[in-house]
Amino acid sequence: MSVLEVARLRVRAGSEDAFEDAFEQAARILRSAEGQLGVDLTRVIVTSREQGEYLLLAAWRSLEDHVPGFTQSAQFATFFALLGPHLAGEPQVNHYEQLEAL
């Protein structure tokens, strides 16, 4: 069963374009990670709360491929070095296990 990582990212005001440019590079790193099955980035377009909010959706073969596999790797250090300067706070990350169709 695969695992879906859902990360809510808040980007510093005015840094959205730079963040999206950096994500293009970071996504290549993420996609090359062991056990990585796919990645998608979406941006909020209508909200009463906050602009600059993104959702990172990353599918992994297993939780262990992501944590500790990717998050403790040199790849992750490079990935986060690209994105970190644009973030307004820590990402909020949850992992969801794929269930068989009911």
Side-chain angles (χ1 to χ4, degrees), residues 33-97:
E34 179 72 26
Q36 220 298 305
L37 302 175
V39 63
D40 193 25
L41 182 69
T42 61
R43 158 179 77 204
V44 69
I45 56 173
V46 177
T47 181
S48 60
R49 282 189 23 230
E50 184 175 341
Q51 295 298 316
E53 184 176 312
Y54 293 76
L55 283 181
L56 168 63
L57 306 173
W60 296 90
R61 183 178 50 208
S62 69
L63 181 60
E64 291 75 23
D65 283 329
H66 181 231
V67 182
F70 180 64
T71 62
Q72 294 182 6
S73 70
Q75 286 176 303
F76 178 77
T78 304
F79 172 84
F80 200 77
L82 287 165
L83 301 182
H86 306 291
L87 298 180
E90 291 291 317
Q92 296 177 344
V93 180
N94 288 304
H95 295 88
Y96 299 85
E97 182 177 50

Side-chain angles (χ1 to χ4, degrees), residues 9-17 19 50-54 83-89:
L9 309 171
R10 288 181 296 115
V11 173
R12 296 177 192 278
S15 189
E16 293 87 357
D17 289 341
F19 169 78
E50 184 175 341
Q51 295 298 316
E53 184 176 312
Y54 293 76
L83 301 182
H86 306 291
L87 298 180

